[in-house]
Amino acid sequence: MGSRDLAAIALKELRKESQDIYNRIHSIAEDAEFVKQVHRYYRNLPLLPNMRCGAWYTDPDIVRRRASSERAYFKSTDGHTNNWSFNLRRPNLHILPLIVQHHGLILVDSTRAGKRIPDALSKTVPIWCAVINRAFQLRQSQPSGVDIWDTALYTPPGVVSAQEHHHIEQKLDAWAAELAESFYELPMLQHPLRPIWITPATTTFPSISVSTLLFYPIVCLSASKLVADGLERRANGFAYIQGSGDDHELWSMGLTPTIFWKNRSVLLNATRSAIPALVQSLLSDFDVPHGAASDTRLIPIAHVSGLLSILSTSTLRSAIPFLSSSRLASVWLTSNDPSHLLSTNAIEPSSLLCIQSPMGKRGQHHFLQTVLPRSMPFIEAHLLRGNRVCIACENGLDIGVGLCLAVLTKLFYDDGSLILHTDKRTALSKSVLRTRLHWIISSDPTANPSRTTLKRVNEFLLSPSCMRSGKDQELAE
């Protein structure tokens, strides 16, 4: 057997170990202890996971003490080299009041082999801080009570090169202007935001004193230790995998951060061979569809005074108590057989439109050709009768948001009032679509319609019906 064959076998074994769920959950547990150590040092700062990866490392009980149910959504792709962005579809403005209230924040994430700090923490968050600071200055002219308002870009030395730092810096003013001119509201900031970084290699944690600091510290905590090849064997029987919480679809067998933390002790005490069966048992007990939200939340769109709401729910059946109001009409979008929903006596049939929509590419064509044309007249009729309307789908994040966006764009004025006369409709444009999407995100920061869904809404509203092919066109964003 040649050296090339041996190398291939070694690589195969390495990959096998890196995907092993036993190694993963024990690695996560080790990193979570480091996160707790940092939180104890900065005990007055709320701890927040950067979704999705950060949720594996943050004890929900600690998060709830100060941050309630808030989550952050800083994407690494917005910090990738030559792809830097401040994305108004995920502005993370909902965490600013938390930062102001507690004079800072600990944000948790991790990264896989080859890096100490994920791009989300080394570049996306620094971009966010600098853009927020500059946009706030644009709106306030000179922030009150502050002699010098720091708008500089701060990036971690040795992680972001001087050249890359400079290139990012050149884009900040344009992003800040877009934010300042947008629909979004910025809370009153007494200090600018500034990121600082902590990793397992940090020997001394930076000192933070609320009384003397001239900025709100955003502690960017990279939870995982940098190890050679991303794997390091431990004496107690597992292989440490750097960034184990990343890409959990590849290794988790359906396990989620919520289920992991609820059953942490039993999982960590199980043998390697017992883990797969244990996970399946926990999943069946939890009884939530894979990838779905674990709760049911009715989210009113504030800018239209709650006339339109999105329902984020794990199962449409569990939503029935939310939708039985006599003054609430409902559109239910489901990939499952809706017959059991239609047979319920809790909801007046005339107040319910239930559409079964397939998943995947067929679902997107169906969304354009069936869901939007059938839903819009139903929703408009109920709004004109003075009813509120709720749009429910199985995760409350994608096609339900897309339908909500179409309704807000076509049936509401810029001030949030309902259009009562068809001859006085607002002229439709991509700019109007963007603003309406910002209305939704302001009320529900988790709303995350796919690019394809947004394209379908664009096509439905801006193209003649005879030209709606369902093929990709330029996105509104």
Side-chain angles (χ1 to χ4, degrees):
M1 185 178 293
S3 59
R4 183 173 297 179
D5 294 329
L6 290 172
I9 292 172
L11 182 60
K12 183 178 179 180
E13 286 300 312
L14 189 65
R15 286 175 178 167
K16 182 179 178 181
E17 281 195 290
S18 72
Q19 301 300 330
D20 183 82
I21 189 171
Y22 182 88
N23 291 336
R24 291 274 180 162
I25 62 173
H26 282 269
S27 301
I28 287 169
E30 180 176 313
D31 292 340
E33 287 303 313
F34 174 65
V35 171
K36 288 182 179 179
Q37 177 188 349
V38 175
H39 180 257
R40 284 193 294 269
Y41 190 84
Y42 301 114
R43 62 176 61 89
N44 293 323
L45 296 183
L47 184 72
L48 211 62
N50 189 34
M51 302 300 284
R52 299 175 304 164
C53 181
W56 288 99
Y57 305 100
T58 50
D59 185 339
D61 290 338
I62 295 177
V63 173
R64 280 191 291 266
R65 288 174 198 167
R66 292 184 180 272
S68 184
S69 60
E70 297 292 7
R71 300 291 184 270
Y73 303 89
F74 294 99
K75 290 195 69 173
S76 283
T77 51
D78 292 336
H80 287 177
T81 302
N82 296 323
N83 193 50
W84 314 291
S85 174
F86 181 91
N87 197 318
L88 290 175
R89 283 176 52 196
R90 39 185 178 269
N92 284 291
L93 303 182
H94 64 290
I95 68 174
L96 286 175
L98 189 69
I99 293 169
V100 172
Q101 179 184 355
H102 297 284
H103 302 279
L105 178 75
I106 304 171
L107 186 64
V108 181
D109 205 344
S110 76
T111 189
R112 291 173 291 177
K115 293 183 178 180
R116 286 191 297 116
I117 304 174
D119 286 347
L121 298 185
S122 65
K123 287 177 279 188
T124 306
V125 171
I127 287 170
W128 181 78
C129 291
V131 169
I132 296 291
N133 293 339
R134 294 181 186 214
F136 185 79
Q137 186 179 53
L138 287 173
R139 286 192 176 180
Q140 299 291 324
S141 295
Q142 178 61 39
S144 60
V146 179
D147 294 330
I148 300 176
W149 188 260
D150 189 0
T151 61
L153 173 68
Y154 293 91
T155 53
V159 176
V160 178
S161 69
Q163 182 182 34
E164 186 172 14
H165 180 104
H166 175 74
H167 286 317
I168 295 172
E169 210 165 27
Q170 303 309 302
K171 298 176 178 291
L172 295 176
D173 284 339
W175 292 330
E178 288 179 2
L179 176 58
E181 294 165 5
S182 74
F183 165 80
Y184 292 121
E185 294 183 3
L186 295 175
M188 182 58 64
L189 302 177
Q190 298 301 319
H191 306 291
L193 311 175
R194 181 170 172 178
I196 60 177
W197 297 270
I198 292 178
T199 76
T202 302
T203 54
T204 304
F205 296 158
S207 177
I208 293 176
S209 174
V210 171
S211 59
T212 59
L213 280 181
L214 299 178
F215 58 87
Y216 293 120
I218 310 302
V219 180
C220 297
L221 172 53
S222 185
S224 293
K225 178 184 177 183
L226 177 64
V227 295
D229 299 320
L231 185 149
E232 187 174 82
R233 304 192 188 286
R234 294 288 187 262
N236 50 351
F238 75 96
Y240 174 83
I241 310 296
Q242 180 183 346
S244 280
D246 210 5
D247 293 333
H248 64 256
E249 295 88 353
L250 300 177
W251 60 265
S252 68
M253 301 180 178
L255 189 68
T256 65
T258 299
I259 300 174
F260 169 74
W261 281 100
K262 283 182 178 293
N263 302 277
R264 181 177 179 275
S265 295
V266 66
L267 282 164
L268 294 177
N269 286 320
T271 62
R272 188 185 299 270
S273 60
I275 288 286
L278 175 58
V279 168
Q280 293 309 307
S281 174
L282 294 174
L283 290 176
S284 62
D285 291 343
F286 200 68
D287 194 29
V288 173
H290 177 67
S294 60
D295 62 339
T296 299
R297 298 179 297 128
L298 189 66
I299 304 166
I301 306 303
H303 194 66
V304 296
S305 304
L307 285 175
L308 202 63
S309 298
I310 303 169
L311 192 72
S312 175
T313 181
S314 56
T315 63
L316 292 180
R317 182 184 291 276
S318 68
I320 290 173
F322 287 79
L323 305 177
S324 56
S325 168
S326 60
R327 301 288 292 177
L328 182 67
S330 310
V331 177
W332 291 8
L333 308 176
T334 176
S335 59
N336 300 313
D337 181 2
S339 58
H340 68 284
L341 300 173
L342 296 171
S343 63
T344 179
N345 295 321
I347 300 177
E348 172 63 38
S350 63
S351 297
L352 172 63
L353 174 63
C354 195
I355 302 176
Q356 185 175 9
S357 186
M359 305 288 283
K361 291 184 178 180
R362 287 183 60 241
Q364 283 297 331
H365 182 78
H366 187 266
F367 177 67
L368 175 64
Q369 302 292 351
T370 302
V371 172
L372 289 169
R374 285 186 60 191
S375 301
M376 295 293 285
F378 174 87
I379 293 172
E380 182 174 17
H382 278 280
L383 289 173
L384 291 174
R385 289 179 202 148
N387 294 332
R388 293 175 295 121
V389 176
C390 173
I391 299 169
C393 64
E394 285 158 350
N395 64 14
L397 303 178
D398 188 18
I399 62 171
V401 176
L403 175 56
C404 182
L405 174 61
V407 174
L408 291 172
T409 303
K410 193 169 184 179
L411 302 182
F412 287 87
Y413 290 116
D414 290 344
D415 64 1
S417 60
L418 182 65
I419 297 174
L420 299 176
H421 304 286
T422 57
D423 59 339
K424 294 184 178 180
R425 293 194 188 279
T426 302
L428 301 183
S429 67
K430 292 181 179 180
S431 175
V432 172
L433 275 159
R434 288 192 193 96
T435 299
R436 300 306 190 264
L437 182 58
H438 297 169
W439 293 1
I440 298 172
I441 295 170
S442 292
S443 294
D444 181 14
T446 67
N448 187 30
S450 67
R451 292 176 62 87
T452 306
T453 294
L454 293 176
K455 289 174 183 177
R456 297 293 84 82
V457 174
N458 257 7
E459 193 171 353
F460 178 78
L461 294 176
L462 303 180
S463 302
S465 58
C466 61
M467 297 180 65
R468 295 173 192 162
S469 64
K471 295 180 180 179
D472 286 354
Q473 294 184 357
E474 185 181 354
L475 184 62
E477 188 61 33

